[in-house]
Amino acid sequence: MAFMRKYLLPILGLFLAYYFYSAKEEFRPEMLQGKKVIVTGASRGIGEEMAYQLAKMGAHVVLTARSKETLQKVVSHCLELGAASAHYFAGTMEDMAFAEQFIVKAGKLMGGIDMLILNHITSTSLNIFKDDIHHVRRSMEVNFLSYVVMTVAAMPMLKQSNGSLVVVSSTAGKIATPLLASYSASKFALDGFFSSIRTEYSLTNINVSITLCVLGLINTETAMKAISGIIDKDPAPKDECALAIIKGGALRQKEVYYDKSPWIALLLGNPGRQILEFLSVYSYNMDKFVNK
Ligand code: NAP
Ligand code: 4JX
C-alpha cells in the first residue's frame, strides 16, 4: 500500500497529466502536399479511399495490389483528384521478393519516401479454426512478414526523410476475436513487432514515426460480404476511416483507434501496458546500440 502511494500513484498522475495536457498539433491537409506516399492494398476498400484522400491533398502516390486493371483505374482517378503524381506496381505480397522490389522501385520513382502505409491483407472468411495451417501461414506471411520486409527496404529512405510508417491493424489485433484466429494472430504480431521497434527507435534516436491503426468493423465490400448472415453489427464508414489513418500518420501518433463506438479507444488504451512499457525502458542501457 505504501509503495502504491509513494511510487505508483505519482507516476500514474504524471502519466495522465502528460497524456491529457501535452499540446496536440492540428492536422492540415497541406501536410501531405508534395509528400511521397506508398499505399499497399490500394485497389479497393480502405486502401483505395486512402489513395483518393492523399490525391486530393496533392501527394505523390505509388500504389500496389495484385489486380493490374483495378489499380490502373484507381491511379487515373487519383490524377483527376489532384495527385502530384500517381503510379502503381502490381504483384502479390505472398512473394517477399516482390514486396522488397516494390519498395525499391517506388522509392526510385519518387526520389524517396515520406510515408509508407501498409494496409493489404490476404483474403479471410469467418470460420471456426480446425486444421487450416495453410491459411495460418498465408496470413502470417501476407499480413505480417511482408510488412516487415517492406519496412526493412523502406527504412533507409524513411530515415532520410524523417518519415512515417503507418501499419493498418484491427481490434482483432488487440482482443480475442472468434472465427478469425489466423487473421487475429497476424494482427497481434504487428503490434508486438512494430511497437517494439518503435521503442527501439525512440531509445536510439531514429526519427521515423510508427503509427499502429486499430480499426473496428468498416463498411468495405469485402467486410460486408464476409460478415453477412453471421454478425449483425453497424460498421463505420471507410472514407472517414481512411482520413483518420492519414491524419494519425501525419501527426506521428503512436496509435489510432477508429471504430463506431468511442468506448473502444478508451478501453483498449490500456494504461497498465503503457505504464509498464514506460518503466521497463529504464533498465536498458542502449549505448552499445546507438548509431549502429
Ligand atoms: P479489402 O477491401 O479486402 O482490400 C484488400 C486489399 O489488399 C485489396 O487492394 C487487395 O487487392 C489487396 N490484396 C489482397 N490480397 C493480396 C495479396 N496477396 N498481395 C497483395 N495485395 C493483396 O480490405 P479492407 O477491408 O479495406 O481492409 C484494409 C485494412 O484494414 C486491412 O489491413 C484490414 O485488416 C484492416 N481492417 C479492416 C476492417 C474492415 O472491417 N474492413 C476492420 C479492421 C481492420 P487485390 O485483390 O487486387 O490484390
Ligand atoms: C467480423 C468482425 C467483427 C474486425 C475487427 C476485422 C476484418 C476481417 C474479417 C474485416 C475485413 C476482412 C473480412 C469484429 N471485428 C472484425 N471483424 N473487429 O478486422 N475484420 C472480415 C471483416 C478481414 O477482410 C468485431
Side-chain angles (χ1 to χ4, degrees):
M1 202 59 196
F3 172 81
M4 233 177 90
R5 218 174 298 138
K6 205 165 166 193
Y7 298 107
L8 221 52
L9 287 177
I11 288 170
L12 186 63
L14 275 175
F15 188 78
L16 289 173
Y18 172 79
Y19 186 80
F20 286 108
Y21 294 109
S22 57
K24 287 193 176 96
E25 199 187 350
E26 284 275 307
F27 174 77
R28 290 168 288 107
E30 306 85 75
M31 285 174 164
L32 273 304
Q33 195 168 10
K35 294 289 184 207
K36 298 156 183 170
V37 186
I38 291 176
V39 184
T40 71
S43 65
R44 54 191 149 88
I46 300 164
E48 179 186 7
E49 280 299 321
M50 288 195 280
Y52 296 153
Q53 308 253 6
L54 289 162
K56 284 186 212 159
M57 295 171 195
H60 295 272
V61 292
V62 179
L63 313 177
T64 187
R66 289 167 306 175
S67 154
K68 208 171 165 173
E69 297 70 32
T70 327
L71 281 171
Q72 215 144 24
K73 285 183 196 150
V74 177
V75 158
S76 302
H77 195 42
C78 284
L79 291 170
E80 285 165 14
L81 290 172
S85 69
H87 295 92
Y88 73 87
F89 295 102
T92 177
M93 292 296 172
E94 286 165 87
D95 176 1
M96 299 306 142
F98 171 77
E100 191 206 337
Q101 280 312 304
F102 163 68
I103 294 293
V104 173
K105 285 183 197 161
K108 270 203 187 126
L109 187 64
M110 294 191 287
I113 304 171
D114 293 302
M115 186 182 279
L116 170 60
I117 306 182
L118 299 171
N119 165 76
H120 64 276
I121 45 166
T122 192
S123 69
T124 294
S125 53
L126 275 68
N127 261 314
I128 296 273
F129 178 76
K130 288 191 194 80
D131 55 5
D132 194 352
I133 306 295
H134 299 298
H135 190 250
V136 179
R137 180 173 285 120
R138 191 150 42 83
S139 299
M140 293 310 291
E141 291 190 348
V142 176
N143 302 1
F144 171 65
L145 190 61
S146 73
Y147 282 37
V148 177
V149 168
M150 280 190 275
T151 298
V152 171
M155 207 37 77
M157 292 179 269
L158 288 173
K159 282 182 184 168
Q160 185 82 35
S161 63
N162 290 333
S164 309
L165 175 63
V166 178
V167 176
V168 179
S169 187
S170 162
T171 51
K174 290 279 185 183
I175 55 176
T177 311
L179 306 183
L180 287 171
S182 311
Y183 172 80
S184 177
S186 69
K187 294 297 193 182
F188 266 82
L190 292 176
D191 190 359
F193 184 84
F194 286 100
S195 302
S196 297
I197 65 166
R198 185 198 294 115
T199 309
E200 290 175 2
Y201 288 5
S202 144
L203 294 174
T204 55
N205 304 320
I206 294 174
N207 192 13
V208 176
S209 65
I210 299 183
T211 303
L212 184 77
C213 303
V214 181
L215 314 180
L217 197 61
I218 312 296
N219 68 354
T220 63
E221 250 183 76
T222 314
M224 295 305 92
K225 268 189 206 151
I227 67 162
S228 161
I230 306 173
I231 293 179
D232 184 18
K233 197 174 186 291
D234 230 9
K238 62 181 176 183
D239 52 346
E240 212 178 274
C241 173
L243 189 58
I245 295 171
I246 295 167
K247 276 186 186 174
L251 295 175
R252 306 176 81 81
Q253 289 172 6
K254 286 184 177 179
E255 293 195 332
V256 167
Y257 289 91
Y258 183 78
D259 188 87
K260 193 90 182 153
S261 158
W263 287 102
I264 289 289
L266 200 72
L267 293 172
L268 289 182
N270 199 347
R273 169 176 163 170
Q274 292 192 45
I275 291 167
L276 287 174
E277 286 178 353
F278 177 79
L279 293 177
S280 74
V281 157
Y282 286 102
S283 52
Y284 286 78
N285 175 4
M286 300 295 282
D287 290 352
K288 204 176 148 187
F289 304 103
V290 177
N291 295 327
K292 294 253 162 96

